Amino acid sequence: MDLKALAAHLNLSATTVSRALNGYSDVSAKTRQRVVEAAQALGYQPNPVARSLAMGRANAIGIVYPLEADDVADPRFLQVVSGLTEGLMEVNMDLLLASATHKGELDTYDRLVHGRRVDAFIVARTLCQDERIDYLQQAGVPFLAYGRSADCQAYPWFDFDNEAGSVLAVARLAGLGHRHIGYIHASLHYNFAHQRHAGFLRGMAEAGLPVASQWLLQAGLARRSGYQAMMGLLDQDQRPSAVIVDNNLAGVGAVRALLDRGIVMGRDISVIVYDGIPPDTLLTQHITSVVQPTQHRTGKHMATLMSRLLAGGHPLSELQMLCQPELQAGDSDGPAPG
Amino acid sequence: MDLKALAAHLNLSATTVSRALNGYSDVSAKTRQRVVEAAQALGYQPNPVARSLAMGRANAIGIVYPLEADDVADPRFLQVVSGLTEGLMEVNMDLLLASATHKGELDTYDRLVHGRRVDAFIVARTLCQDERIDYLQQAGVPFLAYGRSADCQAYPWFDFDNEAGSVLAVARLAGLGHRHIGYIHASLHYNFAHQRHAGFLRGMAEAGLPVASQWLLQAGLARRSGYQAMMGLLDQDQRPSAVIVDNNLAGVGAVRALLDRGIVMGRDISVIVYDGIPPDTLLTQHITSVVQPTQHRTGKHMATLMSRLLAGGHPLSELQMLCQPELQAGDSDGPAPG
DNA sequence: CTTACTTACCAAAGCGTTTTGGGTTATCAT
DNA sequence: ATGATAACCCAAAACGCTTTGGTAAGTAAG
């Protein structure tokens, strides 16, 4: 059932049917209704390929998932993607998933852009200095960054207010009387780690607390490294009375280290972890956490930004979105000793 | 740079250029070379949308990821997907990712098929009785199942020989002198669980061992349920001397239960887990496991099957692929006591 | 009753490929 | 020389839609 067939069936021209379906004003209300009903009844669905060709738009956006060697795929990514597909579906767009090793990523962009397979990209896992963003900007390809890079004035992005999250966490601990606060973070090349780190420093400053460099530990994005970092912290002569961990993978390891040492969270030491601890780790305590909107909502927000971006005519301010995190109280923190 | 421009630049017709590029025999070697070189030099890339329209193919395959309420997205899925995209890239196809709740899944298929957005589907997370497969078969839509359903004669699939894997595991334990073997499995609605379960029974029969129904426990696909199942096993009057767990999520929980009880794997009890235990669980032992080809290779295999499927003309036998698992020895099993 | 404007419709020209169904030269045996 | 066969090449149609640039009828104003 194509346009022409539908038009013939209605004794109308293809033009009119097309315009009726696409909401043009030069078709009478009566005719439009007739067309819409017939389309419904006959199960007409426009061929998206023909549509794309005629309109010069792919009606699809691309996302390339960077696959590093042993960097285990993170489940949240998939959840964001699912929110994204759902949101895009509403504006009749598709999501094209490509994958590429880090070094091949730019080529992949090139191929997809050049081949007009997609109208825009989503750049995930943003780094502070991100060559992908530089490339896309310079190539004039529309894109939406999931996470800001260091210089984020000039392009559309979606991000969490990571800095505010850390400030929140520090304020909570300071309010409980803690003066010795440790911080375990991921590589500062990641924008989120950088921002959270900056927030930690600011929070400490605002609370009038000194930052002890020996309690500022870098870990990776893996449990093992969180475990080691926490162990390193515990082995020091002077321990902090509270610790913040900037990602939940390392958080799991850190918590595990405390369990192994028989240190009780909330009593012996206070712990706050970004994004909490996955529920199936068999942990009985509730970790006090900095939480963000669900991945699913995140995906939908990004879909909204994306459709604005492609519609054009929106000022940059409407193409940038900052989500505020919240502090979710648990029982892994408590008043400072003494 | 489109075909016509390239043709003009070469003083050839668009037809000839097209045919040269697509390997038709009615163009001279000399001309072909000239065309190929010019295309290369001028960076010509055919417009895939126009191509699709002309050929009546979308050059994309769809995969819909079922998102259940609390069923956390599994990381392996993403890895399979990445292998898939890589493999598809080589045959110039794209991967369209859609997501749907279980009940909306059929509608999603309908929309994508009807809208000719994809040429075929991949059906993931196959169940023993899978209505999606029934639907696609009956609708005449080409698809490739990732995992067989109960009746798998008539359609293309990729799967592991799950039954053989269990037989392998049982044989190993039997060889170590174990006569009392427990089995923890996921819901038998999942094809993989069903097959592994069948393999367990067969393996026991072949080893001449009795199957004790109180040691045959169903758990879910989560750590907590594996934990509970193992605890249930340990609390019985008569304990098995060895246990097989049919998936690694439950496996993590089961192992954790043993740790909590102070039971030493390989000495007090032997344990074999399908797909092993993720390396970042801070476990010092190596779990003896039934392992399968990496997700990445799996994805590439599926891409191969897919391109065969769409090329047409392949007998069903070449569209079905069964991968053999292997037993990877660790130190979580040992000779039976006594 | 013109003139001008509005409303409702449509024919035809794209969009960038592939495919069909010839053509035009050479080549070659007769 | 002549018809047949191959080897190359091409114009035009098709794919299913959107968009452009109209036309014809109805309406309002002069």
Side-chain angles (χ1 to χ4, degrees), chain B residues 212-231:
Chain B
S213 65
Q214 73 272 23
W215 293 337
L216 216 56
L217 265 62
Q218 169 159 343
L221 279 171
R223 289 176 212 191
R224 182 169 296 279
S225 57
Y227 184 86
Q228 288 165 343
M230 181 58 92
M231 280 301 188

Side-chain angles (χ1 to χ4, degrees), chain B residues 3 18-19 22 24 44 47 50-51 54:
Chain B
L3 232 209
S18 170
R19 299 183 77 90
N22 290 316
Y24 280 71
Y44 167 75
N47 180 323
R51 201 156 212 272

Side-chain angles (χ1 to χ4, degrees), chain A residues 44-323:
Chain A
Y44 167 75
Q45 283 204 263
N47 179 322
V49 175
R51 201 155 210 274
S52 289
L53 182 60
M55 305 203 302
R57 288 181 43 165
N59 287 313
I61 69 157
I63 185 166
V64 359
Y65 182 73
L67 27 113
E68 304 314 331
D70 58 339
D71 175 15
V72 185
D74 72 37
R76 342 197 98 210
F77 180 79
L78 203 51
Q79 288 179 297
V80 171
V81 163
S82 92
L84 203 47
T85 54
E86 214 171 305
L88 289 174
M89 195 184 299
E90 286 166 16
V91 290
N92 248 288
M93 303 204 68
D94 290 313
L95 215 221
L96 221 75
L97 194 65
S99 58
T101 55
H102 182 64
K103 71 182 199 26
E105 191 164 344
L106 255 41
D107 283 349
T108 304
Y109 284 122
D110 202 54
R111 192 175 56 83
L112 292 179
V113 172
H114 216 106
R116 286 177 212 92
R117 283 175 143 89
V118 300
D119 299 317
F121 283 98
I122 286 184
V123 176
R125 292 213 179 169
T126 318
L127 304 179
C128 288
Q129 299 299 330
D130 206 302
E131 58 175 345
R132 300 170 299 170
I133 288 182
D134 298 342
Y135 171 79
L136 291 172
Q137 259 185 310
Q138 164 257 311
V141 178
F143 69 97
L144 170 65
Y146 178 29
R148 294 160 288 175
S149 62
D151 181 19
C152 60
Q153 302 304 307
Y155 60 84
W157 46 256
F158 174 94
D159 206 357
F160 304 107
D161 195 342
N162 288 299
E163 196 172 329
S166 293
V167 171
L168 237 46
V170 173
R172 166 145 178 137
L173 293 173
L176 287 167
H178 292 276
R179 304 190 46 80
H180 307 297
I181 305 179
Y183 186 73
I184 295 176
H185 61 85
S187 161
L188 297 181
H189 285 114
Y190 288 110
N191 76 89
F192 81 88
H194 183 81
Q195 293 159 8
R196 290 173 186 180
H197 181 261
F200 173 72
L201 297 183
R202 180 153 73 81
M204 293 294 275
E206 285 177 3
L209 299 178
V211 172
S213 65
Q214 73 274 22
W215 293 338
L216 217 53
L217 265 63
Q218 169 159 342
L221 279 171
R223 289 176 212 193
R224 182 170 297 279
S225 57
Y227 185 87
Q228 289 164 344
M230 181 58 92
M231 281 299 189
L233 218 44
L234 297 178
D235 285 339
Q236 297 181 13
D237 298 337
Q238 290 272 6
R239 286 182 189 173
S241 67
V243 178
I244 298 172
V245 185
D246 90 339
N247 71 86
N248 64 353
L249 282 173
V252 172
V255 166
R256 182 64 194 275
L258 293 172
L259 293 176
D260 281 6
R261 284 286 176 95
I263 295 173
V264 178
M265 288 184 291
R267 189 191 70 188
D268 306 332
I269 197 169
S270 289
V271 174
I272 296 184
V273 177
Y274 254 93
D275 298 326
I277 297 286
D280 59 2
T281 38
L282 309 169
L283 193 68
T284 50
Q285 274 190 285
H286 286 288
I287 303 290
T288 298
S289 2
V290 179
V291 297
Q292 289 150 354
T294 65
Q295 324 307 126
H296 195 257
R297 287 198 51 192
T298 294
K300 289 205 125 183
H301 280 145
M302 296 218 292
T304 305
L305 290 178
M306 198 41 118
S307 68
R308 277 189 204 153
L309 171 61
L310 290 179
H314 289 264
L316 212 47
S317 65
E318 290 176 12
L319 299 174
Q320 299 173 334
M321 189 163 185
L322 196 61
C323 280

Side-chain angles (χ1 to χ4, degrees), chain B residues 63-336:
Chain B
I63 185 167
V64 0
Y65 182 73
L67 26 114
E68 303 315 331
D70 58 337
D71 175 15
V72 186
D74 71 36
R76 345 197 96 209
F77 180 78
L78 202 52
Q79 289 177 297
V80 171
V81 162
S82 91
L84 204 48
T85 54
E86 214 170 305
L88 287 174
M89 195 184 298
E90 287 166 16
V91 291
N92 247 287
M93 303 204 69
D94 290 313
L95 215 222
L96 220 75
L97 193 66
S99 58
T101 55
H102 182 63
K103 70 182 199 29
E105 191 164 343
L106 255 39
D107 283 350
T108 304
Y109 284 123
D110 202 53
R111 192 175 55 82
L112 293 180
V113 172
H114 217 107
R116 288 177 210 91
R117 284 175 143 90
V118 300
D119 299 318
F121 283 98
I122 286 183
V123 176
R125 291 211 180 173
T126 319
L127 304 178
C128 288
Q129 299 299 328
D130 207 302
E131 58 175 346
R132 301 171 297 172
I133 289 182
D134 297 341
Y135 171 78
L136 292 173
Q137 258 184 313
Q138 163 258 310
V141 178
F143 70 97
L144 170 65
Y146 178 30
R148 295 161 287 173
S149 61
D151 182 18
C152 61
Q153 302 304 306
Y155 60 84
W157 45 257
F158 174 94
D159 206 356
F160 303 108
D161 195 341
N162 288 299
E163 196 172 330
S166 293
V167 170
L168 236 46
V170 173
R172 165 143 177 139
L173 292 173
L176 288 166
H178 292 277
R179 303 191 44 79
H180 308 297
I181 306 179
Y183 186 74
I184 296 176
H185 61 84
S187 161
L188 297 181
H189 285 114
Y190 288 110
N191 76 90
F192 81 87
H194 183 81
Q195 292 159 10
R196 291 172 187 182
H197 180 260
F200 173 72
L201 296 183
R202 179 153 73 82
M204 292 295 275
E206 284 176 3
L209 299 177
V211 173
S213 65
Q214 73 272 23
W215 293 337
L216 216 56
L217 265 62
Q218 169 159 343
L221 279 171
R223 289 176 212 191
R224 182 169 296 279
S225 57
Y227 184 86
Q228 288 165 343
M230 181 58 92
M231 280 301 188
L233 218 45
L234 297 177
D235 285 340
Q236 296 181 13
D237 298 338
Q238 290 273 5
R239 287 183 189 171
S241 66
V243 178
I244 299 173
V245 185
D246 88 339
N247 70 88
N248 65 352
L249 283 173
V252 172
V255 166
R256 183 65 194 275
L258 293 171
L259 293 175
D260 282 5
R261 285 286 177 92
I263 296 173
V264 177
M265 288 184 290
R267 189 192 70 188
D268 307 333
I269 196 169
S270 289
V271 173
I272 296 185
V273 178
Y274 253 94
D275 299 325
I277 296 286
D280 59 1
T281 39
L282 309 169
L283 193 69
T284 50
Q285 274 189 285
H286 285 289
I287 303 289
T288 298
S289 3
V290 179
V291 298
Q292 289 149 355
T294 64
Q295 324 307 127
H296 195 258
R297 288 198 51 193
T298 294
K300 289 205 126 184
H301 279 145
M302 296 218 291
T304 305
L305 289 177
M306 199 41 117
S307 68
R308 278 189 203 153
L309 171 61
L310 291 178
H314 289 263
L316 212 46
S317 65
E318 289 176 12
L319 298 174
Q320 299 174 333
M321 189 162 185
L322 197 60
C323 280
Q324 292 303 321
E326 286 177 15
L327 200 87
Q328 199 173 70
D331 52 11
S332 66
D333 58 348

